[in-house]
């Protein structure tokens, strides 16, 4: 029986690349996204690799929609082995004191509450089945301070906290929870963000020792390693994948 993974934000960027990478390992993929177009595109890509896949439309900031994607997965596949808790938005990149309360609520709602709801419902299913493996998507902004991303940074530091504390509570029950902290990676989200803030792209590349952005495939490789049994004794960790960026700050 194939392993089963839920990937949120699976319709684009890191989620799409990881869906494809896991499918190459023979993992069945449940793609969760607000975007039907992106979600269905990923389903077609992974089905072409010979695994089963369904798309479930959900806004992860709505807890009842999170419960629904978990329930539907269990109904269809009977279990959840892997969870890539990844859906997120960057926000506008404006200075914090120029941010609207609406924007603050939106970023926290999707990036932090969405991730918490996901872990809440997915871990419940995993623990009933003896355990499972979760990777949460943090960010460079989750391990260092950066300007123009105060709310985003707050949510991503929160992701690191969820990761460590879930292990403190449930590591003994067979749950592994890790996080990734990518630096700027060439996904549609980042391209859109840098188009709106071109001076930040030049600054970002200059500040990276390897002088380039990361690629979604590089991140997908790390997530696949962490999710699968290859990383069986890694738990509560946040792994930076940023060309040396945050370690040289
Ligand atoms: N790309 C980077 O440089 C970078 C760096 C660090 C962290 N991240 C994080 O990686 C994750 C993925 O980002 P990406 O770069 O692949 O972006 P992306 O925009 O390419 O993909 C994000 C996906 O999430 C979906 N999504 C957005 N809001 C949603 C919601 N409320 N409910 C369900 N789905 C939703 C979008 O439709 C999209 O398909 C995010 O959490 C982001 O913060 C990205």
């Amino acid at each position: 029986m194939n392993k089963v993974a839920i990937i949120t934000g699976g319709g684009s960027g890191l989620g799409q690349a990881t869906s494809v990478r896991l499918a190459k390992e023979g993992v069945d993929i449940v793609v969760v996204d607000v975007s039907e177009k992106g979600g269905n595109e990923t389903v077609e890509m992974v089905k072409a690799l010979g695994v089963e896949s369904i798309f479930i439309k959900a806004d992860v900031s709505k807890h009842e929609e999170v419960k629904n994607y978990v329930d539907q997965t269990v109904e269809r596949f009977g279990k959840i082995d892997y969870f890539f808790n990844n859906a997120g938005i960057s926000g506008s990149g404006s200075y914090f004191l120029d941010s609207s309360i609406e924007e603050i609520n939106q970023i926290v709602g999707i990036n932090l509450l969405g991730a918490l709801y996901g872990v809440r419902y997915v871990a419940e299913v995993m623990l009933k089945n003896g355990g499972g493996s979760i990777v949460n998507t943090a960010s460079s902004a989750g391990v260092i301070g950066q300007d123009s991303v105060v709310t985003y940074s707050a949510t991503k530091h929160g992701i690191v906290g969820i990761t460590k504390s879930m292990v403190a509570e449930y590591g003994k029950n067979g749950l592994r929870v890790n996080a990734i902290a990518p630096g700027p990676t060439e996904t549609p989200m980042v391209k859109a963000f840098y188009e709106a803030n071109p001076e930040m792209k030049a600054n970002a590349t200059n500040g990276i020792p390897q002088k380039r952005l990361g690629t979604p495939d590089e991140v997908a490789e790390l997530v696949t390693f962490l999710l699968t049994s290859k990383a069986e004794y890694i738990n509560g960790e946040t792994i930076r994948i940023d060309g040396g960026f945050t370690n040289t700050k």
Side-chain angles (χ1 to χ4, degrees), residues 83-105:
F83 179 40
F84 185 30
N85 193 12
N86 164 73
I89 57 168
S90 63
S92 66
S94 58
Y95 287 115
F96 187 55
L97 299 188
D98 297 328
S99 308
S100 67
I101 296 300
E102 288 73 24
E103 187 187 10
I104 292 171
N105 286 342

Side-chain angles (χ1 to χ4, degrees), residues 8-16 32-36 38-39 56-62 65 69 84-90 106 109-111 114 137-141 152 155-156 159 180-191 194 213-214 216 219 241:
T8 69
S12 178
L14 306 186
Q16 185 171 76
V32 172
D33 208 294
V34 270
S35 160
E36 280 181 46
I56 303 172
K57 184 173 177 170
D59 176 345
V60 300
S61 68
K62 301 196 169 129
E65 295 188 23
Y69 78 63
F84 185 30
N85 193 12
N86 164 73
I89 57 168
S90 63
Q106 188 195 27
I110 295 173
N111 292 8
T137 301
S139 166
S140 295
Y152 180 80
T155 65
K156 295 302 187 179
I159 293 287
I180 53 164
T185 309
E186 287 190 77
T187 64
M189 181 181 94
V190 161
K191 283 180 184 154
Y194 282 145
L213 304 189
V219 175
I241 174 160

Side-chain angles (χ1 to χ4, degrees), residues 38-56:
N40 285 319
E41 181 184 278
T42 303
V43 166
E44 291 314 311
M45 289 165 82
V46 302
K47 274 187 174 170
L49 294 164
V51 297
E52 281 191 55
S53 182
I54 56 170
F55 169 61
I56 303 172

